[in-house]
Amino acid sequence: MSRNVCDEGDDERDYGEEEDEEDDECFDYDYYNATDYDSELYECERNKDSEHFEYECLQIEQVERLLNESVESICSSIGINPSLAKVLLYTHKWDIDRIKEKHKRDSFQLLTDARIKSPRNSRTVDTANRASSYYIQCNICLQSSSAEKCASLSCGHQFCKECWCSHLEVQVTQGITIGIECMAQGCHILVPEDFALNILTKTSFREKYQQFAFAAYVKSHPELRYCPGTNCSVIIRAKENKSKRVICKHCKTSFCFKCGGDYHAPTNCETIKFWLTKCADDSETANYISAHTKDCPKCHICIEKNGGCNHMQCYSCKHDFCWMCLGDWKTHGSEYYECSRYKENPNIASESVHAQAREALKKYLFYYERWENHARSLRLEAQTLEQIKTRIHEKVMANKGTWIDWQYLLDAAALLAKCRYTLQYTYPYAYYMESGPRKQLFEYQQAQLEAEIENLSWKIEHAETTDRGDLENQMDIAEKRRATLLKDFLSS
Amino acid sequence: MAEPVPGISAIPDESNARYFHVVVAGPEGSPFEGGVFKLELFLPEEYPMSAPKVRFMTKIYHPNIDKLGRICLDILKDKWSPALQIRTVLLSIQALLSAPNPDDPLANDVAEQWKINEGEAIKTAREWTRLYAMSG
């Protein structure tokens, strides 16, 4: 933001100079130039949106075509069959350039590294076995069968096709396809697709093999990820393997492209994994300690929170207070909002181990309570949305405005959910942050965001009494705060 | 039948040909010397595409064998090859008795003792062999 303001300042200075010169032509020229500059700036802002991410949602057939293109490229440039090309691509994470480069340097090394060719000279085994007799003894079932009933990979280890088939069936049943190795002890040569499909006689196993192999290809491809939505077969493709938000066009599931879990900005994949495991371990204690109800700080009546807003008004004594800190709401409205900031006890070093453990638990509970509170608020958001719809219906029926007049309330609710979602994920981030000026800045921005979200929530719930302009202004502020926080702290 | 291996015998059960009663003699020069160890060996339906299941029935003090007699041996798990036979599996188990590997432990307490004080661990192993593997 600061850069933006600065640029505008430059613009104004330019204008001033032009006016001094009083040259009409030159002014016109610069006038157009300035608009160009503006649109450029706009474009620049778009790119700077820290959540922006390019991706596409593909169907299985499209992905098959995509993978086949890579396979064909390798086939034509290296001169091997498609099945071996697939093994190469799988072992090299679909990096075509790296395969070509390795091929140029040492093609034999490339094939042995990918476990296509045996590093030992395989020819001798092969010819020895073939020359011995027309009949070959299978080392597994110990029965002799004719050479055409036997098969071997490039390593030359001959086994009868029946043994090969049951080996492949057992592996496929365990979900293994591309990683199936030769049956000989200590031999790690991989079974390529054409060999496997040639050996597998039952249609059910052939289909299973193809299905599992395709899934393995997708999982090994850095640009592809299966949509985690239930029964959704969409595959997401993105050029960059980054932890950014992806929304499946088919089932609308929103998730992180890098880890496949729920979207978690500004926290990164590793941190959120730590946090979620921690919460899964400790949640029972935390649940026990932070009960679902709180007492009104003034009249001590028991209150259950049943809406998204943290600005509470006691039903019985009309006292306005903050659900988070139980302090008077008056201190929250305009001034410094402090209840998202955890105050570390400065004397911690001098206290006993027991006290430190208590402090650690207290710190965790502090962040967990806020994390859980926003998660709960988000769950209640669906309820709030229903209420808004009923309210709009009532308004329209009572001839207070038309349908279109009230649609902005729905937009506001959607924005509120989006902001609250980000706010929820700021707490794990803060929990794992080291104390220091950066954490202070983070907590400041977090507090600002939280304050604006609570304002927005309150205004939406009381939309009849607040005017539309005010609400829309509040939406803009909240979204700006969210974007600023992400821009400053979302590591790319 | 191939030539018998000295110190190892495997006799199929009368009621189930997949089940073998195995006896392995403690290798010379190891703390298990003089002991006679009983094992059970079961061939799963997928054998030889899947590894046989083998377990010590006699109590033994060894870093790669736990209280229940389960064995930590790579060829019985991910390194299984259909080309391996019952004979080779039992030979590998006998070799494991000669060369315990405390760096890849199954019984953690035993492995730790083996690393901290090998002399004491070997003494315990001898004692256990005398107590449990020499009675009959």
Side-chain angles (χ1 to χ4, degrees):
Chain A
M1 286 311 283
S2 63
R3 183 181 295 173
N4 197 354
V5 171
C6 203
D7 284 347
E8 275 170 19
D10 281 353
D11 264 6
E12 269 175 40
R13 222 180 19 240
D14 285 349
Y15 264 103
E17 280 164 17
E18 295 309 329
E19 271 171 352
D20 280 345
E21 281 172 23
E22 286 187 320
D23 189 328
D24 270 0
E25 256 186 24
C26 199
F27 181 83
D28 271 356
Y29 172 79
D30 248 357
Y31 174 78
Y32 286 115
N33 207 16
T35 38
D36 267 9
Y37 188 56
D38 269 358
S39 67
E40 224 169 77
L41 234 179
Y42 173 73
E43 194 61 30
C44 212
E45 275 303 306
R46 249 176 60 97
N47 287 343
K48 262 190 276 168
D49 175 6
S50 44
E51 290 186 293
H52 178 76
F53 192 51
E54 299 260 350
Y55 64 90
E56 48 186 337
C57 299
L58 302 176
Q59 295 299 324
I60 290 172
E61 299 77 42
Q62 290 170 294
V63 175
E64 277 172 343
R65 228 173 294 144
L66 190 87
L67 297 182
N68 278 335
E69 278 169 26
S70 300
V71 171
E72 275 162 30
S73 156
I74 289 296
C75 286
S76 60
S77 64
I78 294 185
I80 51 172
N81 74 41
S83 291
L84 294 181
K86 278 183 183 170
V87 176
L88 274 180
L89 285 162
Y90 176 76
T91 47
H92 289 83
K93 295 205 171 295
W94 300 81
D95 189 340
I96 297 178
D97 293 334
R98 212 175 98 221
I99 297 173
K100 285 182 183 168
E101 190 202 305
K102 268 179 119 176
H103 178 71
K104 228 180 257 167
R105 230 183 308 133
D106 187 348
S107 59
F108 185 73
Q109 187 70 36
L110 171 72
L111 295 179
T112 51
D113 282 356
R115 295 196 271 156
I116 290 173
K117 271 209 160 69
S118 167
R120 279 163 260 128
N121 197 351
S122 54
R123 288 250 169 81
T124 47
V125 187
D126 206 357
T127 43
N129 224 333
R130 216 163 264 170
S132 59
S133 68
Y134 178 74
Y135 284 96
I136 295 168
Q137 193 198 36
C138 171
N139 238 337
I140 287 163
C141 58
L142 304 175
Q143 278 166 4
S144 294
S145 21
S146 59
E148 68 256 27
K149 281 189 179 156
C150 292
S152 74
L153 298 173
S154 68
C155 51
H157 297 118
Q158 293 275 358
F159 301 104
C160 76
K161 285 185 181 170
E162 271 175 53
C163 283
W164 268 119
C165 186
S166 45
H167 174 57
L168 292 176
E169 283 181 3
V170 166
Q171 298 289 316
V172 171
T173 313
Q174 290 170 22
I176 307 167
T177 51
I178 317 168
I180 303 178
E181 295 179 348
C182 169
M183 291 194 283
Q185 196 198 346
C187 179
H188 301 296
I189 296 300
L190 294 176
V191 174
E193 200 178 279
D194 57 348
F195 184 90
L197 292 178
N198 209 2
I199 294 284
L200 285 170
T201 42
K202 290 182 198 130
T203 336
S204 63
F205 278 104
R206 293 164 62 87
E207 277 170 4
K208 253 190 206 161
Y209 181 92
Q210 281 167 315
Q211 231 175 315
F212 288 155
F214 178 74
Y217 293 141
V218 170
K219 279 174 194 154
S220 70
H221 203 302
E223 289 179 12
L224 302 175
R225 176 172 286 284
Y226 273 106
C227 167
T230 332
N231 292 331
C232 184
S233 61
V234 165
I235 296 160
I236 312 288
R237 184 192 186 198
K239 286 277 180 202
E240 294 171 302
N241 192 0
K242 282 186 175 171
S243 62
K244 297 277 182 164
R245 178 174 43 203
V246 161
I247 299 166
C248 173
K249 282 201 180 95
H250 182 68
C251 70
K252 306 287 177 237
T253 306
S254 150
F255 60 99
C256 162
F257 183 73
K258 197 172 175 188
C259 69
D262 285 344
Y263 180 61
H264 47 67
T267 314
N268 64 29
C269 298
E270 292 78 35
T271 314
I272 199 69
K273 216 175 131 196
F274 278 132
W275 174 257
L276 292 174
T277 336
K278 189 174 172 59
C279 291
D281 293 346
D282 298 347
S283 58
E284 282 314 305
T285 331
N287 278 344
Y288 178 73
I289 295 169
S290 69
H292 289 268
T293 61
K294 288 181 181 179
D295 293 349
C296 167
K298 204 172 170 194
C299 69
H300 304 291
I301 197 168
C302 188
I303 296 170
E304 186 197 2
K305 190 159 127 70
N306 61 358
C309 183
N310 277 337
H311 179 179
M312 306 296 283
Q313 191 176 45
C314 177
Y315 191 72
S316 89
C317 71
K318 305 286 175 207
H319 175 56
D320 289 272
F321 66 94
C322 167
W323 179 257
M324 241 30 271
C325 69
L326 298 179
D328 199 320
W329 187 259
K330 274 183 209 128
T331 60
H332 289 74
S334 53
E335 286 182 43
Y336 197 49
Y337 183 85
E338 263 210 331
C339 16
S340 58
R341 181 183 299 254
Y342 176 72
K343 291 183 195 72
E344 223 158 291
N345 187 345
N347 300 325
I348 186 151
S350 58
E351 285 173 18
S352 67
V353 182
H354 178 69
Q356 280 189 29
R358 271 189 76 89
E359 190 63 24
L361 178 67
K362 238 172 83 191
K363 178 183 170 188
Y364 167 66
L365 285 177
F366 175 89
Y367 287 106
Y368 180 76
E369 202 183 319
R370 276 148 187 80
W371 157 270
E372 212 7 70
N373 181 52
H374 287 296
R376 207 176 302 135
S377 295
L378 265 176
R379 284 195 290 271
L380 290 171
E381 224 62 72
Q383 225 171 299
T384 316
L385 194 69
E386 274 314 304
Q387 281 168 6
I388 289 176
K389 279 184 185 158
T390 343
R391 252 162 59 201
I392 293 177
H393 187 79
E394 281 167 8
K395 290 279 173 200
V396 175
M397 290 306 132
N399 259 337
K400 289 178 186 160
T402 57
W403 286 109
I404 201 76
D405 287 339
W406 292 101
Q407 290 305 305
Y408 75 97
L409 266 187
L410 294 175
D411 293 342
L415 182 88
L416 177 66
K418 190 173 155 193
C419 288
R420 207 180 270 290
Y421 188 89
T422 303
L423 182 62
Q424 185 194 346
Y425 281 85
T426 60
Y427 282 102
Y429 190 94
Y431 177 78
Y432 288 105
M433 233 178 161
E434 278 173 32
S435 298
R438 198 164 157 76
K439 182 163 185 175
Q440 278 173 16
L441 177 67
F442 182 79
E443 289 189 326
Y444 172 74
Q445 293 202 10
Q446 188 187 32
Q448 296 278 305
L449 174 63
E450 185 146 20
E452 298 308 343
I453 287 174
E454 295 312 336
N455 278 339
L456 180 61
S457 192
W458 175 262
K459 281 177 184 167
I460 290 173
E461 278 182 31
H462 302 83
E464 292 98 303
T465 49
T466 45
D467 71 302
R468 179 173 170 177
D470 188 31
L471 180 65
E472 284 183 340
N473 193 25
Q474 187 61 47
M475 283 166 70
D476 193 45
I477 294 170
E479 174 57 21
K480 280 239 169 68
R481 291 260 183 251
R482 194 185 78 89
T484 313
L485 186 138
L486 286 180
K487 196 185 284 172
D488 292 351
F489 291 95
L490 182 57
S491 50
S492 47
Chain B
M1 282 283 261
E3 70 275 24
V5 185
I8 298 177
S9 76
I11 298 151
D13 190 82
E14 280 171 15
S15 59
N16 189 341
R18 287 184 183 282
Y19 189 90
F20 288 78
H21 300 273
V22 178
V23 176
V24 174
E28 271 175 45
S30 76
F32 311 103
E33 187 178 345
V36 176
F37 297 89
K38 283 188 190 146
L39 291 91
E40 61 170 353
L41 184 147
F42 183 71
L43 303 178
E45 206 169 324
E46 298 84 19
Y47 178 85
M49 305 311 156
S50 294
K53 299 180 190 307
V54 196
R55 192 168 73 96
F56 271 85
M57 306 297 282
T58 309
K59 231 168 124 87
I60 183 167
Y61 192 80
H62 190 288
N64 309 105
I65 299 160
D66 73 359
K67 266 190 246 165
L68 298 172
R70 292 177 298 193
I71 309 162
C72 178
L73 187 62
D74 56 356
I75 58 155
L76 291 178
K77 288 165 186 160
D78 54 318
K79 293 279 157 48
W80 171 253
S81 150
L84 288 166
Q85 301 158 3
I86 296 176
R87 178 190 149 89
T88 40
V89 167
L90 295 179
L91 274 170
S92 298
I93 290 172
Q94 202 183 31
L96 189 67
L97 294 184
S98 294
N101 179 12
D103 290 324
D104 184 18
L106 186 63
N108 277 316
D109 48 331
V110 181
E112 212 172 297
Q113 183 67 15
W114 219 276
K115 276 169 125 169
I116 296 167
N117 188 347
E118 203 183 330
E120 193 62 34
I122 287 172
K123 224 178 112 187
T124 315
R126 267 209 200 97
E127 182 64 17
W128 280 39
T129 306
R130 198 181 57 79
L131 277 174
Y132 306 110
M134 288 185 186
S135 46

